[in-house]
Amino acid sequence: PIGHVDEIKDKDGVILVPTNVWHFTNPNKFISFRTITENTQFRSGEGLPGRVLESNEPKWISDIDADDNFPRMKVAGNLGVRAGFGFPVISGNETVAVLEFFAPEPFAANIDLMHAMSVIGVQLGQVYGRKRAEEALQISEANSRIEWQRLEDAVNSFKDGFALYDADDKLVVCNESYQNNLSAVSDALKPGISFEEIIRTRVKHAQLRDGITRDEAWIQK
């Protein structure tokens, strides 16, 4: 009747933080348990979630009243739950979350259920891994857009012509003054164009005429 998710939040992967993700068949019956749970973090080995985290395996408590490693009992003696089990959500080789479930009466361990939950935990971990990768990519792209905008703003603040080329002599960014100085080829001044292409285009448009023949040797030089 009760299900809850704890999630790894610290970089060392040793602390589980409660989420607000719950399942209740009767929400009004377990208000105290929910409140205490949402204010309790678990280190590896501590409580039901911590034991799951420490072992990377499902764990079952047949009778919480007889268990000496259930910290939530120390906060309130009558939580309305008597049995529980939890299983890890595994992404790669690490536990990223623990799902825990509880019943209001003692309940003997169900080995088949624990085995099934192990398989589901791995499947959930694959979904979790994809979601985390997507979120990381979105953050990276957002940061890149911010950094790129900062670069453009800095470049455009120069009154003189300014252009930045990469190690392969390809244009990264340039400002309006640089484009104005190369008006004949300004339409071609897009990121990725090589310096050689710019020179050849300027020669083609006779923009470099000063009495010197613009042959291939000159272009390469």
Side-chain angles (χ1 to χ4, degrees), residues 184-185 200-209:
V185 295
R200 289 186 181 279
T201 305
R202 296 186 70 190
V203 169
K204 180 179 178 181
H205 287 274
Q207 197 176 14
L208 292 172
R209 282 183 178 171

Coordinates of all heavy atoms in Angstrom, one line a residue, residues 184-185 200-209:
A184 N 33.2 42.6 -49.9 CA 33.0 41.8 -51.1 C 32.8 40.3 -50.8 O 32.2 39.6 -51.6 CB 34.2 41.9 -52.1
V185 N 33.2 39.9 -49.6 CA 33.0 38.4 -49.3 C 32.2 38.3 -48.0 O 32.2 37.2 -47.4 CB 34.4 37.7 -49.2 CG1 35.1 37.7 -50.5 CG2 35.2 38.4 -48.1
R200 N 40.9 33.3 -51.5 CA 40.6 33.0 -52.9 C 39.3 33.8 -53.4 O 39.3 34.3 -54.5 CB 40.3 31.5 -53.0 CG 41.5 30.6 -52.9 CD 41.2 29.2 -53.2 NE 42.4 28.3 -53.1 CZ 43.3 28.2 -54.0 NH1 43.2 28.9 -55.2 NH2 44.4 27.4 -53.8
T201 N 38.4 34.0 -52.5 CA 37.2 34.7 -52.8 C 37.5 36.2 -53.1 O 37.0 36.8 -54.0 CB 36.1 34.6 -51.7 OG1 35.8 33.2 -51.5 CG2 34.9 35.3 -52.1
R202 N 38.4 36.7 -52.2 CA 38.9 38.1 -52.4 C 39.6 38.3 -53.7 O 39.5 39.3 -54.4 CB 39.7 38.6 -51.2 CG 38.9 38.6 -49.9 CD 39.8 39.2 -48.8 NE 40.0 40.6 -49.0 CZ 40.8 41.4 -48.3 NH1 41.6 40.8 -47.4 NH2 40.9 42.7 -48.5
V203 N 40.5 37.3 -54.1 CA 41.2 37.4 -55.3 C 40.2 37.3 -56.5 O 40.3 38.1 -57.5 CB 42.2 36.2 -55.4 CG1 42.7 36.1 -56.9 CG2 43.3 36.4 -54.4
K204 N 39.2 36.4 -56.4 CA 38.2 36.3 -57.4 C 37.5 37.6 -57.6 O 37.1 37.9 -58.8 CB 37.2 35.2 -57.0 CG 36.1 34.9 -58.0 CD 35.2 33.8 -57.6 CE 34.1 33.6 -58.6 NZ 33.2 32.5 -58.1
H205 N 37.2 38.3 -56.6 CA 36.5 39.6 -56.7 C 37.4 40.8 -56.9 O 37.0 41.9 -56.7 CB 35.6 39.8 -55.4 CG 34.4 38.9 -55.3 ND1 33.2 39.2 -55.9 CD2 34.3 37.7 -54.7 CE1 32.3 38.2 -55.7 NE2 33.0 37.3 -55.0
A206 N 38.7 40.5 -57.1 CA 39.7 41.5 -57.4 C 39.8 42.5 -56.3 O 40.1 43.7 -56.5 CB 39.3 42.2 -58.7
Q207 N 39.6 42.0 -55.1 CA 39.6 42.9 -53.9 C 41.1 43.2 -53.4 O 41.3 44.1 -52.7 CB 38.8 42.3 -52.8 CG 38.5 43.4 -51.7 CD 37.5 42.8 -50.6 OE1 37.4 41.6 -50.5 NE2 37.0 43.7 -49.8
L208 N 42.0 42.4 -53.9 CA 43.4 42.5 -53.5 C 44.3 43.1 -54.5 O 45.5 42.9 -54.4 CB 43.9 41.1 -53.0 CG 43.3 40.5 -51.7 CD1 43.7 39.1 -51.5 CD2 43.6 41.4 -50.5
R209 N 43.8 43.7 -55.6 CA 44.7 44.2 -56.6 C 45.5 45.4 -56.1 O 44.9 46.3 -55.6 CB 43.8 44.6 -57.8 CG 43.3 43.4 -58.7 CD 42.6 43.9 -59.9 NE 42.2 42.8 -60.7 CZ 41.3 42.9 -61.7 NH1 40.8 44.0 -62.0 NH2 41.0 41.8 -62.4

